[in-house]
Amino acid sequence: MTNEQPDSRMAPPPRKVLYAAYGAGLFGIALTDIYALIIPLLALSLGLSPSEIGLLIGARSILPLFLSIHGGALMDRLGTRRVMLVGTAAAAIMALLFPASPWFPVLLILQALSGLFMNMNWIGAQTLIAQVCHGDAVTLGRFNFVVRAGTIVAPIVAGALWDVGGAWPTFIMIALCACSMHVMVRLVPEPNAEKFAAGPKQSLWSALPRVEDYTRSFAMMMVPVIAFTVVVAGLRNGSTGIQTSLYVVYLENLGMKGTLIGVLFSALEVTIALASLVVGAARKLGRPEWVLLVTTVISIVTISVTPLLGGIFLLLMLMQMMRGVSQGLMQPMLFAIQSAAAGRDNQGAVVGLRITANRVCSAVLPPIMGFLADTFSMESSFLLTGLLLLLGCAWLAWLVIRHPEFRIADKA
């Protein structure tokens, strides 16, 4: 494993290519937020219980949990652009099947399959921009800012469409977003085209999972910097797991409309976008590992205290904005550190590793929260899940204090 730094001598990408890569990321992450809002609303409209809703939401992360590493390795092997063209087309088709199949077992299958395609597309968008900009932290910060525009607008539009027209108009919009992402990917040339032109032609068998892909990716966990950032990313995504599981259900039970819930989602994304622009200043706040840990703790606490806010919209908005600042500061820094530590030929693999850690939380937390809600109360499920994630942060802090190798070099 290498510790390559982005080469400042590399020519910057053409603006057309850079903007198209930004566009692919914009639609990719917007789709993730739309599903996070709409699937719980769909489940509630069908009368599903909290446990069933938790299982339905968790199903979205089951296949990505096992295949994210394969997806990242596949992009390194076959080309990011080629894999994304297939994934975006499949995502558009899958979206139209949801309103046509309102049965719980079928929805579980659709959630699992569409979750895989959406996940692969988001891995691709992150890999694509890292390859296009050669891992430059400033460009990655701008990417994080631009893509948030989709998640700022998309939840409000999706919530309003749901309130007005229900499932069909909303899922048609989802399909159109996937088609738009497909178009953006077509505008970006394959970043490592010379590598694939010089190598042997790949067969269909090349698309199958390989044991060596997993061993190569998990071997990167032997690099302490990568191991630390992967676990931090997973814990940070735990706060997203809370939001995408019973957060929407809790607010809807309080009588809040889909449009207002979409506004809360958008408030988070606005602050993430703005905070991403000052990633350089974030590096001056302290040692990188402590900045990552503190912002992760803030992200967890601000979503876990939701039941203590009394359903007051302004307080809910404030917590979302505080959470957005913490995530916006940490994400570009984390991406840049991992990109530099992995080296150019392992960009897809390290993104797949990070997404795998994220999917562990996304697959496990919703069913856990649903079980806690059925066993105790919905309010208790927020607080207990948050406590579990904070214990993980405390363990990481102990590792950093006791083992210097987990500390991140300031130039990483």
Side-chain angles (χ1 to χ4, degrees):
M1 212 58 54
T2 64
N3 285 295
E4 297 177 7
Q5 303 297 319
D7 191 346
S8 60
R9 297 170 299 176
M10 291 183 178
R15 287 189 177 182
K16 177 183 176 181
V17 172
L18 193 60
Y19 294 163
Y22 286 168
L26 184 151
F27 286 109
I29 199 169
L31 286 167
T32 301
D33 267 30
I34 293 172
Y35 269 103
L37 173 65
I38 295 304
I39 293 301
L41 293 177
L42 177 65
L44 282 171
S45 72
L46 297 175
L48 301 183
S49 69
S51 294
E52 289 175 321
I53 294 172
L55 288 172
L56 185 62
I57 296 168
R60 190 162 194 80
S61 298
I62 291 298
L63 292 180
L65 172 62
F66 296 104
L67 295 176
S68 290
I69 287 175
H70 169 60
L74 198 63
M75 291 172 194
D76 289 335
R77 184 162 67 245
L78 300 181
T80 306
R81 182 178 183 272
R82 185 184 304 176
V83 174
M84 289 185 71
L85 288 175
V86 175
T88 50
I93 295 171
M94 295 297 299
L96 298 177
L97 297 179
F98 274 89
S101 311
W103 301 284
F104 181 67
V106 178
L107 288 175
L108 279 176
I109 296 173
L110 288 177
Q111 270 283 83
L113 292 175
S114 65
L116 175 63
F117 291 123
M118 293 293 185
N119 184 75
M120 296 278 272
N121 293 335
W122 180 228
I123 289 177
Q126 295 175 77
T127 304
L128 199 63
I129 189 62
Q131 291 172 330
V132 164
C133 75
H134 315 297
D136 176 61
V138 174
T139 303
L140 289 172
R142 291 171 181 166
F143 171 80
N144 209 37
F145 173 79
V146 170
V147 301
R148 296 298 162 180
T151 55
I152 291 166
V153 176
I156 298 176
V157 175
L161 277 175
W162 180 269
D163 289 341
V164 173
W168 274 107
T170 308
F171 281 97
I172 288 173
M173 186 195 75
I174 293 173
L176 292 175
C177 285
C179 290
S180 299
M181 188 179 185
H182 183 88
V183 172
M184 292 296 104
V185 174
R186 285 195 172 276
L187 297 177
V188 181
E190 178 59 51
N192 293 326
E194 69 284 352
K195 168 185 172 182
F196 303 110
K201 185 176 181 180
Q202 301 287 346
S203 66
L204 289 177
W205 294 106
S206 301
L208 296 177
R210 296 179 181 179
V211 173
E212 57 265 30
D213 291 336
Y214 288 82
T215 55
R216 178 170 67 95
S217 195
F218 280 118
M220 288 192 286
M221 290 292 284
M222 300 301 292
V223 180
V225 168
I226 291 180
F228 175 84
T229 54
V230 165
V231 177
V232 163
L235 290 171
R236 197 258 343 144
N237 196 66
S239 67
T240 303
I242 295 174
Q243 176 169 298
T244 56
S245 51
L246 296 188
Y247 183 78
V248 174
V249 176
Y250 177 76
L251 295 180
E252 205 276 346
N253 285 342
L254 293 178
M256 196 171 292
K257 294 293 185 180
T259 305
L260 279 181
I261 299 174
V263 170
L264 289 174
F265 275 53
S266 295
L268 170 71
E269 302 303 334
V270 168
T271 46
I272 289 177
L274 294 175
S276 297
L277 294 179
V278 295
V279 62
R283 297 295 293 267
K284 300 175 183 178
L285 294 176
R287 293 199 54 81
E289 64 272 11
W290 290 113
V291 173
L292 292 177
L293 271 174
V294 170
T295 51
T296 299
V297 168
I298 293 172
S299 182
I300 294 168
V301 170
T302 49
I303 191 72
S304 300
V305 299
T306 296
L308 305 180
L309 303 179
I312 300 173
F313 186 78
L314 288 179
L315 291 179
L316 291 167
M317 176 81 75
L318 178 61
M319 290 299 105
Q320 286 289 78
M321 293 174 68
M322 289 176 61
R323 182 163 153 247
V325 170
S326 67
Q327 292 190 14
L329 290 176
M330 77 170 293
Q331 285 177 349
M333 182 189 302
L334 187 144
F335 293 171
I337 290 169
Q338 288 186 339
S339 179
R344 184 180 181 186
D345 292 335
N346 295 298
Q347 294 299 308
V350 76
V351 172
L353 188 62
R354 180 175 72 239
I355 297 295
T356 297
N358 292 347
R359 293 289 79 79
V360 170
C361 285
S362 297
V364 172
L365 281 182
I368 288 177
M369 286 195 71
F371 173 78
L372 291 173
D374 282 340
T375 304
F376 301 103
S377 67
M378 191 168 294
E379 291 79 5
S380 298
S381 69
F382 280 83
L383 301 174
L384 293 174
T385 304
L387 178 61
L388 179 64
L389 294 172
L390 290 176
L391 289 174
C393 293
W395 172 69
L396 271 186
W398 177 84
L399 280 180
V400 169
I401 294 171
R402 293 294 301 271
H403 301 279
E405 60 268 25
F406 286 96
R407 298 171 190 170
I408 301 166
D410 289 328
K411 64 180 181 179

